[in-house]
Amino acid sequence: MRIRGGRLRVGRNAADTSGSNGSGDGGPVGGPSGGAPTGSHTTGGPTPGDRPPGDRPPGDRPPGDNRPPGNDTIGNDPTWGGAAGSGAAGGGSSASGGSSASGRDSAGAGRLVSPWPRAAALLLAGALPALAFPAPGLWWFAYLALVPWLLLIRTARSPRRAVLDGWIGGIGFVIAVHHWLVPSLHVFIVLLAALLGLLWAPWGLLVSRLLGGSPSARRAVAAVVVVPSGWLLIELVRSWEGLGGPWGLLGASQWEVSPALRVASVGGVWLVSLLVLAVNTGVALLIAAPPARRTAGVLLLLCALSVTAIWAWAPRPGYAGTVRIAVVQPGIVAGPGSVARRLDRGEELTRALAGRGVDLVVWGESSIGAGVWERPETGRRLAALSRRVGADLLVNVDARQTDGSGRSGIFKSAVLVGPDGPTGDRYDKMRLVPFGEYVPARSLLGWATSVGKAAGEDRLRGDRQVVMTVPDGARGLRIGPLVCFETAFPDMSRRLVRDGAQVLVAQSATSTFQGSWAPAQHASLGALRAAENGRPTVHATLTGISAAYGPRGDRVGRPLGTDASAAEVFDLPLARGETLYGRFGDWPVYGAFAALAALCAVEGLRALRRPVPGPPGPPARTAHGSPGRPGR
């Protein structure tokens, strides 16, 4: 057929409906509307019979490809979900006539393409999980809190965008969970959050890969396993003391939920975090991935059945008697002479315990400060208190001392005092709070002391954990002391119990953060440590919240709030036996490593098996037969 009307522009293939009805581009030959009549061909491509080898007409599928029509985008690859990165530069449309080249077809996501609104949404989404922790205490919200963040990441148009989404959301998470540090760090918390937020950058890429596009059933299963595993490794890395320690582990939000505490007895707080992340991932699949909804529902049911099985069959600690422990909380004592006045108040409250049959009296962190501890009469006063009450005192000294190896400096030490004075049992705090008790790389970051309330002089750290034995008055009770945020480290409590501790005793001071969420969050950690190890835990503070927990993590007695200046006696049930976490330790972390390693191995093998692209086929011929210049 001879084409009349002069030279024609190159038009779109008639099967490509992604344009605007063919107008504005010269259009194919046909009626005035630009639509090609049936059976006609445009000058923009070869005829069906002239297709180069390997080229398929639109809508054709390679052997074994069972995807429904309209899912021909790169981002809908059912094996890996490589939606991130496809089509970001061009922003064009796929052959399905409406879904973007990145495989994202969510209308809501399109409203968050602009960088600043998207960044604001990601900061907010990353901050949402903080509401599940005390003091808001919306524990149930933890199972939904990450869903907005996951849904935002899955709409990322490129791998770079997914990495950025993970980082920005991580910044929001760190600031929200640690916002109570602002009085101490001021603007430095923004830099800290930006650095720690980088841990979530690769997680963002992982989420985009597994949740992006239209996940198949196989990819949905992988997502529910691997996305939580990636998060767990973030928690493991930031649990390093130098990065602030394991504060705000997502599983810690479930401290008052009995089924979750049973899960903690099997795999520690790590297994609880995996459970919470798995539920969030499953819910995100239910919302945004219709092809995987049935699979996601089955996976969520399996999570529920697993918790039920743990509740029914996991070993429970056996009863082994009762011990009576008193906590002395002097309350806020500030102003001139506060150290001496705090000691006076602690002494007054302790004297009131006489005749109540207590086996041990516990004071909070830094209950005896510099200047007081060096005086000989301080030891005599404490010994007299022990004789009056009929029990040993576990006090805490924050002063310049010399340890057993001859080092001199400021130590934070748990010291046991009996009727004859200090017994010789002493534990020096091993894991110090960055900036609060020492400044990392002080030569570089020492300026932080002029911005916030960073430590003016570095404390020295102890070199070993200690299990103390209270004398015969308490039937040889063995206690494992922890100081301040050492209760956030699961491994320290586990080591003390394996060394024979019958009761975990934590001494803390949160006076700097009164009125924030920190006191409640700190006190809640005792429930997790108790449940993980099957041993009762006492959390004693200077200014609240002081509390006690039984060997299953359940609260015992009445806690002392931040407005109390009082002493409280707790009758704690002792326990015997070993939990599965106590026996096997951090096995969920190793499982997370294995899951990620398996994913990397599968993808590596798939990459090796992918055929090498062959030489390109012959160029398509145009209507006039010239392969080089169309229309000539």
Side-chain angles (χ1 to χ4, degrees):
M1 179 180 69
R2 182 178 178 83
I3 300 176
R4 302 182 181 275
R7 184 180 303 168
L8 295 179
R9 301 175 187 174
V10 179
R12 291 190 178 93
N13 188 291
D16 185 356
T17 60
S18 62
S20 55
N21 298 325
S23 62
D25 209 14
V29 177
S33 63
T38 304
S40 64
H41 303 289
T42 70
T43 60
T47 64
D50 292 333
R51 293 185 182 280
D55 191 6
R56 298 183 182 89
D60 197 3
R61 297 285 190 273
D65 190 343
N66 297 320
R67 288 175 291 173
N71 281 344
D72 287 347
T73 61
I74 298 174
N76 289 329
D77 182 351
T79 60
W80 188 202
S86 56
S93 301
S94 71
S96 62
S99 61
S100 68
S102 64
R104 274 64 171 176
D105 53 4
S106 171
R111 303 187 186 100
L112 291 174
V113 173
S114 299
W116 291 112
R118 186 180 182 90
L122 284 163
L123 285 172
L124 178 60
L128 288 178
L131 297 176
F133 295 93
L138 305 178
W139 62 265
W140 53 268
F141 186 58
Y143 296 95
L144 302 172
L146 287 169
V147 173
W149 191 0
L150 293 171
L151 295 181
L152 280 169
I153 293 177
R154 78 177 294 274
T155 65
R157 294 174 177 265
S158 68
R160 180 182 300 177
R161 180 72 250 185
V163 167
L164 190 61
D165 288 351
W167 178 48
I168 295 174
I171 293 174
F173 179 85
V174 173
I175 291 178
V177 173
H178 299 86
H179 73 276
W180 42 269
L181 287 173
V182 172
S184 296
L185 298 182
H186 292 284
V187 70
F188 193 74
I189 194 174
V190 178
L191 176 59
L192 178 66
L195 293 175
L196 290 180
L198 290 172
L199 294 174
W200 280 270
W203 183 75
L205 181 60
L206 186 67
V207 170
S208 177
R209 288 285 196 175
L210 290 171
L211 296 184
S214 182
S216 63
R218 180 188 299 179
R219 187 143 61 93
V221 173
V224 172
V225 174
V226 177
V227 169
S229 298
W231 181 283
L232 193 66
L233 294 192
I234 296 172
E235 293 195 335
L236 179 67
V237 172
R238 70 186 185 89
S239 294
W240 177 48
E241 173 198 342
L243 293 179
W247 195 280
L249 302 183
L250 204 58
S253 64
Q254 307 302 296
W255 68 279
E256 56 183 342
V257 183
S258 295
L261 291 173
R262 293 282 288 147
V263 172
S265 73
V266 173
V269 67
W270 312 113
L271 187 58
V272 184
S273 287
L274 281 177
L275 172 67
V276 172
L277 261 296
V279 173
N280 275 275
T281 307
V283 172
L285 287 168
L286 283 176
I287 294 174
R293 281 177 179 168
R294 178 176 297 179
T295 303
V298 172
L299 293 171
L300 290 174
L301 179 61
L302 286 176
C303 288
L305 292 176
S306 299
V307 174
T308 303
I310 290 173
W311 175 266
W313 293 306
R316 297 176 183 265
Y319 179 74
T322 304
V323 65
R324 174 165 283 196
I325 296 179
V327 170
V328 171
Q329 180 177 298
I332 298 178
V333 179
S338 59
V339 174
R341 290 189 292 113
R342 184 185 304 128
L343 175 60
D344 293 341
R345 180 57 177 162
E347 185 179 12
E348 177 185 356
L349 293 171
T350 304
R351 281 198 300 266
L353 296 171
R356 300 190 62 178
V358 297
D359 298 306
L360 178 68
V361 179
V362 183
W363 290 15
E365 178 188 13
S366 304
S367 49
I368 301 178
V372 173
W373 183 243
E374 289 82 358
R375 301 173 187 171
E377 64 269 20
T378 300
R380 292 193 292 268
R381 290 171 63 182
L382 295 175
L385 274 177
S386 176
R387 292 191 297 269
R388 181 183 181 93
V389 176
D392 283 18
L393 313 178
L394 185 68
V395 300
N396 192 276
V397 179
D398 184 3
R400 197 170 300 278
Q401 306 172 66
T402 301
D403 69 355
S405 62
R407 292 182 303 159
S408 294
I410 300 177
F411 289 90
K412 283 197 173 183
S413 306
V415 178
L416 191 63
V417 180
D420 300 321
T423 64
D425 285 332
R426 166 180 159 181
Y427 166 66
D428 297 325
K429 184 178 182 181
M430 295 175 61
R431 297 183 182 173
L432 304 177
V433 179
F435 297 99
E437 294 170 338
Y438 78 103
V439 176
R442 183 176 287 273
S443 59
L444 296 176
L445 302 177
W447 56 268
T449 59
S450 61
V451 176
K453 298 179 181 178
E457 179 179 351
D458 293 346
R459 268 61 172 172
L460 299 183
R461 65 186 72 231
D463 55 7
R464 63 186 180 90
Q465 291 189 262
V466 176
V467 174
M468 302 178 181
T469 302
V470 179
D472 295 338
R475 303 181 302 281
L477 179 69
R478 292 172 63 81
I479 62 173
L482 297 163
V483 181
C484 191
F485 90 141
E486 288 181 334
T487 57
F489 294 87
D491 64 302
M492 297 193 73
S493 299
R494 179 172 177 263
R495 171 57 64 87
L496 288 170
V497 172
R498 293 183 68 84
D499 288 345
Q502 296 171 279
V503 180
L504 298 172
V505 180
Q507 297 173 300
S508 175
T510 54
S511 55
T512 304
F513 309 110
Q514 296 297 98
S516 73
W517 298 352
Q521 289 183 18
H522 200 175
S524 70
L525 296 175
L528 285 163
R529 304 292 88 86
E532 287 171 344
N533 300 285
R535 295 295 183 270
T537 300
V538 175
H539 183 81
T541 73
L542 286 181
T543 59
I545 298 172
S546 297
Y549 305 93
R552 297 181 182 180
D554 51 313
R555 182 178 285 164
V556 174
R558 179 179 65 92
L560 295 175
T562 55
D563 57 347
S565 175
E568 186 69 22
V569 177
F570 300 100
D571 290 315
L572 292 173
L574 298 176
R576 61 175 178 269
E578 192 176 24
T579 64
L580 292 178
Y581 175 73
R583 183 180 305 169
F584 298 112
D586 301 330
W587 63 266
V589 175
Y590 305 130
F593 272 115
L596 291 172
L599 178 68
C600 293
V602 168
E603 291 308 314
L605 289 175
R606 183 172 294 152
L608 291 175
R609 292 174 180 174
R610 189 173 296 127
V612 179
R621 303 185 67 84
T622 64
H624 282 255
S626 172
R629 300 184 65 184
R632 293 289 179 113

